[in-house]
Amino acid sequence: MKHELQGHLTPFSLSTVKKIQVVFLLGAISSLATPASAIIGGRQLLPGHVPAVVARSQPIGSLPGDTNLRLAIGLQLRNREELTNLIAQLYDPTNPRYRQYLTPAEFTRQFGPTPEQYQAVIAFARANRLNVVGTHPNRVLLDVRGKAADIQKAFNTNLRLYAHPTEARNFYAPETEPSVDPALRLLDVSGLDNFRKPHPKSLKATPLRTEPKPQAGSGPNGTYMGGDFRAVYARNSPLTGTGQILGLVEFDGYYTNDIAIYRTTAGVPNVPLQNVLVDGFDGTPSPGANSGNSEVALDIEVAMSMAPGLSKILVYESDPTGIANDVISRMATDNLAAQMSCSWSFGTGPDATTEQIFQQFAVQGQTFFNASGDDGAFAGSVPVPGADPYITIAGATTLTTTGPKGAWVSETTWNAGGGFSSSGGYDNSVSLPIWQQGVDMTANRGSTAARNVPDVSMVGDQIFIVADNGQSETVRGTSVSAPLWAGLTALMNQRAASEGHSSIGFLNPALYALGRGANHSVYFHDVTTGNNTNSSSPTGFFAVAGYDLCTGWGTPIGQNLIDALALPDGMGVLPAMGFSANGPVGGPFTTSTQTFTITNSSAASFDWAVVDDASWLDVGPSEGTLTQLSGTNVVVGLNPNASLLAAGTYTAHLTFTNLTTHFVQKRQINLSIGSSLVLNGGFESGDFSYWQLNDLFSFVDDGSNTGITPRGGNFVAALGQIGSLGTLAQSFQTLAGQPYLLSLWLIVSADINGLTTPNVLRVQWNSKNVFAASNLSDSGWTNLQFMVTGTSPSSTLQFLFRDDPAYLGLDDVSLIPVPTPAFTSIVQANGSIQLNWTSLAGLSYQLQYKASLTQANWTNLGSPIEANDTTTTATDPNANAGSGFYRLLLLP
């Protein structure tokens, strides 16, 4: 019996039934903020789990032992120093690896815990009666559920109840730091306390009753909405975010009609919304005064106002008690949104897991903004994740314009009084990042040893939204500025893509380089008035010239900042990617040439050059000069040497260099000869990377959950859709008319009662069945091979499957181009003839002869020959007996 799987992560079956549920999780290390751990009594302490308030509180009891809790167990990444160095390289414009980002699969291979380490934590959880309810592709998190009594035993702590000091409720928390076996390489555990739940950083929305000041916007009563934001921060820019996807972190639902009403009122185009529900949340907005739906509506409405051409907005939603790391982990492993925003505080910690995900964002070229908060100046510590060194923190301003959809006039630090103002300060637990070094902190009273926030700002005062199921409201706070910055970043990434550049990724190194430069006033409105002082910090902080702890560097000056961040160099190279070609030994190949266009978008001329590192490529022209706003074409193609290469996979690199600035851009050329075109055909990534899966029950297994031993390597695909056909597909670049050998290994498993049926398997090539069977019996690994013919420019392999009681095992799928049988040499000696021809190992060939071409029939020369290499040899010992002509047949 199988139960429906929520989400797309690898599930684990439980005991005798396939009861599969998934909750998203992540764990991490912090290169700058990881608390020190200690080994005591043979156990590793996991610090940072006891809220500071516990030391000042008396417990009122113990958490009942039968209370069910959901936890997120985080594992340490591997190669942490290498990871830190890689991030520095990716954001150094002088480094050859600049903006050469990794995919999630590459990140996991280089830095994720090993499968064995992950399995050890799974075994630990199960041994302690904790149910595994969610796994994660990068293996840095494990979601579990269990009773409080079992959790206390597993982590060697006691969960006590305390009266909350500021809220009308009790909370639970560990009275001592948890500890585990050091061999587990655990980092932290989220969910051991509920002292501080995720909460929005914006002020409570208020109805439109009072006159906002200044009355400069196009919204009701002069509020700002819709086109007002672009008119100030992207004035006259043609960019709208076309082709970009924006992601939002949310801990509540929203009313779709609110978004529709706002679009109509503000005149904003219909940007598609896609909800990504996490941790079993159904998306229904929570009721009552504490509902966070206004925050969700605000984030969506201002983001689409700034970037009305977005392909879509992904709204990642968990419930109001959700685990934040589950949400941001899903954003990292999806890797769909290049720009993301969060206007929520995550709680009290630990935050090492969170930072590890932020590092993954940076490595993958994703930009993440977080609102600085609305509580004014911080005094030595900043709520999670507001001081993390791998994200950009946004403060808020009060804006004055020339009128509705008018130009910028001035801005001051947003401060509503009563302690409500744009938050800023520094966190003594986080070291000063290298990109923040060199900033003069004398006048702004910032720290020269700790991370200072915010980094930048935008308007956060007198903003019109529609929320709470049709209510027109005014909101204030840094919750406005974070999604606005994400929207502006979509414009930057659209500009970068148009010139063949990668996404801009983690912004802070570039932002601070511009801010420290002599022309910073070209890129930022420097906010020099106002303050965010409060009763906890009456002398901090005040806005000053340059960087300060009220608004950071200030607010963006539209196209100037967009171009500076999107285009690190005036030389553009299109397309943004190289090309891939494949074919049999000797050719032909799917792609023979590609034209790259080099452009100069700067105001000055420069010399350029391009070099390659492969003898099988030709490049022309290889150098030249471009005057301002000009361009030229470079043709890159395979030369005859490619046809002489043996079977294998070859990689070449093109290096385009601006010889004036010495900025380098690289493009990779891939050539696969006589090799499988299937990516991840053995599922050794541990997931369905490169495959398109449409199914609720299938997953990649190491054999421990299905009993199916992988045919080769460490993993096997377990296909198990119930009641209907699931699909698994992958497309390939192919040549029309080119034959390919499709090979796969199949096994049929039985459930605990020995049942294997009903089951169905269809193998389709370009939507046509090459194999179809149902009610297959329990069997060992069986190899299926088919000859298929390619179409141009691509072909698709698809598996349609169903297995109600158990799983169909699929492994080692390959697709190899078959060389056309062709004689490479014919040698005559001593009355015999030796014939050599191109071949593919595993295929059978029949050699035939006849004395004259006028004869009607050919005669077989011996039995079929099975090839075991790329060249096959046969001998005709009776060449003088009438074997005047020869031909080869490739047998099916």
Side-chain angles (χ1 to χ4, degrees):
M1 175 180 182
K2 288 185 247 183
H3 295 260
E4 184 170 342
L5 172 65
Q6 299 295 322
H8 76 295
L9 303 185
T10 306
F12 290 85
S13 47
L14 307 177
S15 63
T16 59
V17 296
K18 298 182 188 173
K19 184 178 291 184
I20 303 171
Q21 295 177 320
V22 168
V23 179
F24 299 93
L25 257 185
L26 74 165
I29 63 165
S30 169
S31 61
L32 297 177
T34 305
S37 60
I39 306 296
I40 299 178
R43 293 177 66 86
Q44 177 190 0
L45 285 181
L46 303 178
H49 293 75
V50 180
V53 68
V54 167
R56 306 187 299 271
S57 306
Q58 288 295 322
I60 58 175
S62 296
L63 186 67
D66 60 354
T67 304
N68 283 302
L69 300 179
R70 183 181 69 215
L71 306 179
I73 303 175
L75 286 76
Q76 296 180 20
L77 289 176
R78 295 177 298 118
N79 306 322
R80 289 178 286 174
E81 183 176 354
E82 179 184 336
L83 173 59
T84 303
N85 292 338
L86 175 61
I87 294 174
Q89 295 166 1
L90 292 175
Y91 294 97
D92 178 0
T94 65
N95 193 288
R97 296 209 61 174
Y98 182 60
R99 293 187 180 177
Q100 302 293 312
Y101 304 122
L102 302 186
T103 65
E106 290 169 335
F107 178 86
T108 300
R109 284 194 294 271
Q110 293 188 36
F111 305 111
T114 66
E116 293 76 16
Q117 291 168 341
Y118 202 47
Q119 289 297 324
V121 179
I122 292 172
F124 158 78
R126 289 174 173 166
N128 285 278
R129 301 166 58 88
L130 305 180
N131 293 324
V132 176
V133 294
T135 61
H136 202 275
N138 59 11
R139 298 189 292 271
V140 299
L141 285 174
L142 188 72
D143 270 355
V144 300
R145 284 186 182 274
K147 296 184 180 300
D150 295 321
I151 290 170
Q152 292 176 132
K153 181 179 178 182
F155 295 104
N156 195 34
T157 189
N158 294 314
L159 300 178
R160 301 300 194 197
L161 289 172
Y162 303 87
H164 201 285
T166 59
E167 301 175 17
R169 65 180 179 92
N170 296 330
F171 71 94
Y172 61 85
E175 64 176 357
T176 58
E177 299 291 4
S179 63
V180 294
D181 185 335
L184 291 175
R185 293 178 57 83
L186 295 192
L187 184 64
D188 54 28
V189 184
S190 297
L192 289 177
D193 80 278
N194 68 342
F195 172 67
R196 191 171 186 179
K197 302 174 183 178
H199 64 280
K201 292 188 174 182
S202 63
L203 289 179
K204 175 62 181 170
T206 58
L208 283 167
R209 331 186 254 268
T210 59
E211 297 272 326
K213 296 184 182 301
Q215 299 179 43
S218 62
N221 294 334
T223 51
Y224 293 109
M225 69 175 188
D228 292 325
F229 307 116
R230 288 179 56 83
V232 173
Y233 300 120
R235 191 167 188 83
N236 298 323
S237 175
L239 302 168
T240 62
T242 301
Q244 296 296 311
I245 297 175
L246 186 147
L248 297 173
V249 175
E250 307 295 351
F251 293 95
D252 211 327
Y254 65 96
Y255 299 97
T256 56
N257 62 297
D258 288 343
I259 312 302
I261 295 171
Y262 179 86
R263 287 202 316 267
T264 300
T265 305
V268 176
N270 183 17
V271 176
L273 302 178
Q274 179 180 334
N275 298 335
V276 183
L277 303 178
V278 182
D279 288 348
F281 183 47
D282 64 4
T284 302
S286 58
N290 293 322
S291 174
N293 89 88
S294 291
E295 179 66 70
V296 187
L298 161 66
D299 293 347
I300 295 171
E301 290 164 6
V302 301
M304 64 172 54
S305 295
M306 180 63 78
L310 287 167
S311 295
K312 67 172 116 175
I313 294 176
L314 295 175
V315 187
Y316 287 84
E317 300 174 76
S318 185
D319 64 70
T321 63
I323 296 176
N325 288 338
D326 291 355
V327 180
I328 61 173
S329 173
R330 178 69 182 270
M331 300 173 87
T333 55
D334 283 355
N335 195 27
L336 296 173
Q339 42 276 313
M340 301 164 290
S341 172
C342 175
S343 296
W344 300 72
S345 177
F346 292 176
T348 55
D351 64 343
T353 290
T354 307
E355 181 173 300
Q356 191 160 275
I357 301 305
F358 292 154
Q359 288 177 311
Q360 184 171 353
F361 286 152
V363 168
Q364 294 174 177
Q366 295 175 279
T367 310
F368 190 95
F369 294 95
N370 198 82
S372 69
D374 300 347
D375 300 319
F378 297 125
S381 65
V382 178
V384 176
D388 194 277
Y390 292 102
I391 62 176
T392 302
I393 308 300
T397 67
T398 295
L399 170 70
T400 300
T401 68
T402 58
K405 298 182 181 179
W408 182 91
V409 173
S410 67
E411 283 175 279
T412 188
T413 305
W414 168 67
N415 192 327
F420 296 112
S421 60
S422 180
S423 287
Y426 49 85
D427 193 319
N428 289 324
S429 68
V430 183
S431 300
L432 187 73
I434 187 170
W435 40 261
Q436 205 167 47
Q437 295 175 14
V439 177
D440 187 353
M441 301 292 179
T442 305
N444 62 31
R445 302 176 61 87
S447 174
T448 58
R451 166 75 156 111
N452 297 272
V453 295
D455 302 305
V456 288
S457 293
M458 273 201 201
V459 62
D461 194 8
Q462 304 298 343
I463 308 300
F464 171 80
I465 68 168
V466 180
D468 291 308
N469 203 12
Q471 301 300 308
S472 295
E473 298 172 350
T474 302
V475 295
R476 305 169 178 85
T478 58
S479 286
V480 181
S481 54
L484 281 176
W485 264 99
L488 187 73
T489 304
L491 275 56
M492 298 176 190
N493 280 327
Q494 178 191 354
R495 181 77 171 103
S498 72
E499 294 291 339
H501 295 293
S502 302
S503 61
I504 58 179
F506 177 42
L507 276 186
N508 287 13
L511 283 174
Y512 279 78
L514 293 174
R516 290 193 303 266
N519 297 321
H520 64 273
S521 61
V522 174
Y523 308 113
F524 302 101
H525 296 296
D526 191 359
V527 181
T528 60
T529 60
N531 65 79
N532 59 9
T533 61
N534 55 30
S535 58
S536 299
S537 184
T539 60
F541 298 95
F542 292 84
V544 299
Y547 178 83
D548 58 54
L549 281 67
C550 294
T551 63
W553 288 110
T555 64
I557 299 180
Q559 200 67 45
N560 291 350
L561 186 62
I562 290 172
D563 286 344
L565 294 175
L567 307 177
D569 183 75
M571 185 177 75
V573 180
L574 290 174
M577 303 290 291
F579 68 90
S580 296
N582 66 75
V585 174
F589 301 108
T590 52
T591 301
S592 58
T593 63
Q594 178 168 325
T595 299
F596 291 88
T597 300
I598 305 177
T599 58
N600 180 5
S601 61
S602 68
S605 299
F606 61 75
D607 295 329
W608 61 270
V610 56
V611 296
D612 70 273
D613 57 5
S615 62
W616 42 271
L617 277 182
D618 284 338
V619 178
S622 60
E623 59 184 17
T625 300
L626 285 180
T627 58
Q628 59 178 327
L629 304 178
S630 65
T632 190
N633 291 334
V634 173
V635 178
V636 179
L638 304 179
N639 63 35
N641 290 333
S643 299
L644 304 178
L645 296 172
T649 300
Y650 301 86
T651 300
H653 297 91
L654 302 172
T655 302
F656 295 85
T657 304
N658 181 330
L659 297 177
T660 301
T661 65
H662 303 290
F663 182 76
V664 170
Q665 298 184 59
K666 290 191 174 184
R667 300 293 185 267
Q668 182 169 303
I669 311 299
N670 301 308
L671 177 60
S672 178
I673 302 177
S675 301
S676 176
L677 306 187
V678 180
L679 299 175
N680 195 25
F683 307 99
E684 291 308 298
S685 65
D687 56 24
F688 285 107
S689 296
Y690 303 106
W691 294 91
Q692 292 79 50
L693 175 68
N694 182 16
D695 172 36
L696 293 175
F697 301 99
S698 297
F699 61 101
V700 174
D701 186 32
D702 63 357
S704 61
N705 303 288
T706 61
I708 301 176
T709 301
R711 189 259 167 187
N714 299 314
F715 295 97
V716 58
L719 308 180
Q721 175 71 6
I722 297 174
S724 61
L725 292 178
T727 61
L728 181 69
Q730 189 172 148
S731 296
F732 319 95
Q733 185 183 28
T734 56
L735 276 170
Q738 169 68 46
Y740 296 85
L741 176 64
L742 170 61
S743 176
L744 59 98
W745 288 82
L746 176 71
I747 192 170
V748 181
S749 66
D751 70 1
I752 58 174
N753 298 314
L755 297 177
T756 61
T757 60
N759 63 53
V760 175
L761 178 66
R762 298 176 192 165
V763 183
Q764 292 187 342
W765 179 255
N766 289 329
S767 301
K768 295 182 179 180
N769 288 343
V770 296
F771 176 84
S774 59
N775 296 327
L776 296 161
S777 60
D778 193 355
S779 65
W781 281 109
T782 302
N783 184 222
L784 302 178
Q785 292 190 351
F786 314 96
M787 292 294 296
V788 295
T789 303
T791 57
S792 181
S794 66
S795 299
T796 299
L797 168 66
Q798 180 170 252
F799 298 96
L800 295 89
F801 54 86
R802 170 185 173 184
D803 194 312
D804 289 21
Y807 296 93
L808 300 175
L810 180 67
D811 209 350
D812 295 335
V813 183
S814 64
L815 181 71
I816 300 176
V818 178
T820 302
F823 291 114
T824 57
S825 66
I826 300 178
V827 180
Q828 183 176 13
N830 300 322
S832 65
I833 291 181
Q834 183 184 72
L835 303 105
N836 301 296
W837 66 87
T838 56
S839 58
L840 180 62
L843 296 186
S844 294
Y845 298 83
Q846 178 64 61
L847 188 62
Q848 295 183 328
Y849 72 92
K850 60 182 176 180
S852 171
L853 291 178
T854 60
Q855 286 181 231
N857 299 315
W858 291 83
T859 303
N860 288 342
L861 178 61
S863 301
I865 300 172
E866 182 174 341
N868 56 23
D869 206 340
T870 57
T871 300
T872 300
T873 300
T875 301
D876 181 0
N878 301 307
N880 297 325
S883 307
F885 300 91
Y886 297 89
R887 76 172 184 179
L888 282 167
L889 295 181
L890 175 61
L891 301 181

